[in-house]
Amino acid sequence: MQRYFVDEIKAETAVITGDNFHHITRVMRMKLEDEVYLVTPDERTAVAAISELGEDFVRLDVISWLEASSELPVEITIASGLPKGDKLELITQKGTELGAKHFLSFPAKRSISKWDGKKAKKKTERLEKIAMEAAEQSHRSFIPDFEHLDTFAALLEKSAAYDYVVVAYEESAKEGETAALATLFGTMEKGQSVLAIFGPEGGFDAEEIAKLEAHHALKVGLGPRILRTETAPFYFLAAASYAFELAKNG
């Protein structure tokens, strides 16, 4: 069944307009009594059937509510130093499928790509649409948001809002560090948040690492191989899924 995110379900009824109305009626060509999933802002999912097809709206009535959640039990924000090309699109799409809650981008010293105000707005809108489509496809109960930070200092300031902050550092991988990430996941509890920071293609310089450590960021290695900037977040999210969903349920 198709999945749609709605603003509210009131008295077991929802009304869909706009792009989702167009998708239901023109793309999917649904009819009365066809069923879909509806997801509310508080991450609840309902099975609902179409009860009315209007000129510019679709009305649906809830049949049942689903108890199971597809969300990771911890809240992970992926922060990427601006990479080249369309790599942020891949990070946002696949990161959403893997369970990331939020995405940030920031200019690192070694970032080649530059975003001005107008470009940042257009890029952010594009990435938020990619996140929404990926959330629908992967049966998420939440649409991750995307925010571009104008400075590295803004990233440091924002890091204070998280329970944990980690930075993927290739020098840690080269030195054979293997325990920090496992220790982090063993320490985190359900509902806690972690900001996972990844550098651009050229990685971080020593000064950036020093500033991150001064703001209580933990350096972590991601295995013995050096990963691309667009691959490293997927490693982190997959490891988190194993630690919090597979291993704890095994």
Side-chain angles (χ1 to χ4, degrees):
M1 290 193 297
Q2 295 294 307
R3 175 170 293 240
Y4 299 97
F5 290 85
V6 295
D7 293 332
E8 66 174 358
I9 295 177
K10 191 173 182 179
E12 300 295 281
T13 299
V15 175
I16 288 180
T17 59
D19 290 343
N20 283 339
F21 163 77
H22 180 271
H23 189 266
I24 289 172
T25 58
R26 302 291 189 269
V27 179
M28 300 305 299
R29 298 184 180 276
M30 293 187 189
K31 302 175 182 178
L32 291 174
E33 299 185 3
D34 282 351
E35 297 179 6
V36 301
Y37 292 117
L38 299 180
V39 184
T40 64
D42 60 354
E43 302 182 19
R44 300 180 68 208
T45 301
V47 177
I50 296 174
S51 59
E52 183 179 358
L53 290 165
E55 288 290 329
D56 59 358
F57 72 91
V58 176
R59 190 181 308 279
L60 304 102
D61 295 333
V62 171
I63 297 173
S64 63
W65 290 92
L66 303 184
E67 297 297 328
S69 173
S70 60
E71 297 300 305
L72 279 168
V74 294
E75 184 176 308
I76 298 176
T77 297
I78 300 296
S80 299
L82 281 177
K84 295 185 292 184
D86 59 359
K87 292 178 181 177
L88 272 179
E89 294 188 5
L90 179 65
I91 291 170
T92 301
Q93 182 188 60
K94 302 307 179 185
T96 296
E97 293 177 21
L98 288 166
K101 198 84 168 183
H102 310 280
F103 295 94
L104 303 173
S105 62
F106 62 92
K109 283 190 175 182
R110 296 175 182 171
S111 290
I112 295 174
S113 179
K114 306 295 180 185
W115 287 12
D116 58 22
K118 187 176 181 180
K119 183 177 183 179
K121 183 176 185 297
K122 186 176 180 180
K123 288 276 192 179
T124 297
E125 290 173 351
R126 166 72 176 156
L127 292 165
E128 287 181 336
K129 182 179 180 182
I130 287 172
M132 180 186 72
E133 292 172 349
E136 291 173 348
Q137 181 275 323
S138 57
H139 283 205
R140 292 284 302 273
S141 300
F142 181 86
I143 302 175
D145 52 43
F146 189 98
E147 180 182 2
H148 175 64
L149 305 175
D150 292 329
T151 64
F152 186 76
L155 174 70
L156 297 176
E157 182 179 348
K158 188 171 281 288
S159 69
Y162 293 84
D163 296 310
Y164 298 92
V165 181
V166 299
V167 55
Y169 190 42
E170 67 177 36
E171 295 304 319
S172 295
K174 289 178 182 177
E175 293 165 4
E177 187 282 311
T178 59
L181 189 60
T183 300
L184 168 73
F185 290 155
T187 303
M188 288 187 69
E189 297 180 357
K190 182 179 179 181
Q192 289 190 311
S193 62
V194 57
L195 173 64
I197 306 171
F198 303 88
E201 288 83 359
F204 289 108
D205 75 2
E207 182 180 356
E208 288 173 321
I209 292 296
K211 288 180 178 178
L212 286 166
E213 288 189 296
H215 283 74
H216 309 292
L218 172 70
K219 292 187 298 185
V220 298
L222 302 179
R225 293 160 294 279
I226 303 303
L227 305 179
R228 291 178 181 270
T229 185
E230 67 272 30
T231 308
F234 307 151
Y235 181 108
F236 185 90
L237 288 163
S241 176
Y242 175 80
F244 295 106
E245 295 176 319
L246 301 184
K248 290 188 176 180
N249 291 328

